Amino acid sequence: MKKIISLFLGMITLSMLLLSGCGEAPKAESTDPASAPDIKAIKDRGTLKIGVKLDVPKFGFKNPTTGQVEGMEIDLSKALAKKILGDENKIDVQGVTAKTRGPLLDNGEVDLVIATFTITDERKQSYNFSDPYFTDGVGLLVKKSSGIQSLQDLNGKKIGVAQSATSKKAIQDAADKAGIKISFLEFGTYPEIKAALDSGRVDCFSVDGAILFGYLDDSTVILNDRYDPQKYGVASKKSNVALAKIVNDTINEMKQSGELDKLIQKWGLK
Amino acid sequence: MLRDWPVFAEGFGMTILLSALALLLALALGVFFGVLGAAEGKKVRLCSRIYVEFIQNTPLVIQIFFLFNGLPHLGIMLPVFTVGVLGVGVYHGAYVAEAIRAGIQAVPRGQLESATSQGMSYWSAMQHVVLPQAKRIALPTLTNQAVSLIKNTSVLAMVAGGDLMYHADSWSSNNLYYGPAYVVTGLLYLSLCMPLARYARRLERKLEVSL
């Protein structure tokens, strides 16, 4: 028994020594972004891990016929991979939801989140955001049979929103302005909100207009009004400063060269 | 986080109320179906089996989802609180029924036979002789079921049920400050379940069901 214990302790000490050797961070913080630890980690891995939406047509959407994830945000991911790794196919996309994208960035499961992520001041405190690459607004999806035509008709009704989305605040502000009373039910994922709308648990499904198009069917209609401009940015973990800089520079280059506009046109987004 | 304590308090209160009502329902269903499951008649036993097997072998999440989103399509719109009490209560009722059935069957058959030979009817023999002994055997299991039940009320977070987990989700997603929120929520659940679990342990010792 004693032998086993001492052997065990010996192994622990040895592994500690080994680990402490590996764990030393590079002392000299170089100014060249290409050699920053966060960029180096991506280069060593050889792929850029990106969190994208799978249920937002034209942005990040898993095409049911081909099984491929496609959309403007996927093309943007490719452009970033080309910039960082020199090959646009070196991306590893992973589906995220409004609720999971923050934690996935924090624990390093993904390097970047490009998933209709609205830039807000509060969120900037937790993550780095690039300059906006697209602006959308919060929309309202209602059942045709409900006869709801505008925000006014939603007085006293229940609105289904996604957790961690900006829709709740936007619609609440609009409702306050219009002087109507509404209540919110929050759900973890969009399909759950849609199910709640179908069963009549909520009277309206509210999220960014672009996202609503993924849930439009024969029985529902999207109202024309949009509330609170939602600016989408590329998010990265707060500590990955160099990565955030590269991303932001790339987005701005794409804006100037007209490449971003081409992407927006390619996907038929306004 | 501390500033917004009413949010968590509301959820905590809701979870306690929900658990209490669901537990009552689970006990009522459990005693009824447990006694049926240990009864003489084959048909009666089958009734209990169907309920227990059906509920025990489907996930609680699906049952709750059916009550919340399925029933409205059939024109039955239950308020979400009722969905919670009914869903969690019926689910744990099946487990309680099994515990009670096992308790009854653990009482030697001779007990029931000697009671009926004294001229007691089946039901009064059950009530005065068998059930008091069965209770002793089933109690620790029942307390553990209560602990499970409290933890399982957290599935209501999925259907905007207003319980502790829902408020924790909602608050943390609004503030992107989820670490502390979930730690506190976990501690709140712990403060409910831990004393119950300790109590179960004490009962087991006292009743000499286990050492």
Side-chain angles (χ1 to χ4, degrees), chain B residues 132-183:
Chain B
Q133 296 180 69
K135 194 177 77 181
R136 209 192 76 171
I137 299 162
L139 246 172
T141 327
L142 291 183
T143 331
N144 285 332
Q145 275 306 313
V147 173
S148 277
L149 185 140
I150 293 172
K151 289 187 294 185
N152 274 341
T153 54
S154 61
V155 301
L156 279 198
M158 282 187 57
V159 292
D163 66 313
L164 177 56
M165 195 68 203
Y166 171 73
H167 281 293
D169 265 343
S170 162
W171 186 89
S172 60
S173 63
N174 274 340
N175 298 294
L176 291 178
Y177 198 54
Y178 49 87
Y182 287 133
V183 169

Side-chain angles (χ1 to χ4, degrees), chain A residues 145 225 254 258:
Chain A
S145 57
D225 299 328
M254 288 171 77

Side-chain angles (χ1 to χ4, degrees), chain A residues 249-261:
Chain A
D249 291 349
T250 313
I251 299 246
N252 284 318
E253 277 167 31
M254 288 171 77
K255 272 186 188 168
Q256 266 147 18
S257 67
E259 217 177 322
L260 194 64
D261 287 336

Side-chain angles (χ1 to χ4, degrees), chain B residues 40 104-118 120 125 129-130 133:
Chain B
E40 299 287 322
I104 291 172
Q105 288 177 339
V107 176
R109 268 204 72 80
Q111 297 282 324
L112 181 68
E113 280 167 10
S114 43
T116 44
S117 73
Q118 299 294 319
M120 280 186 172
V129 180
V130 180
Q133 296 180 69

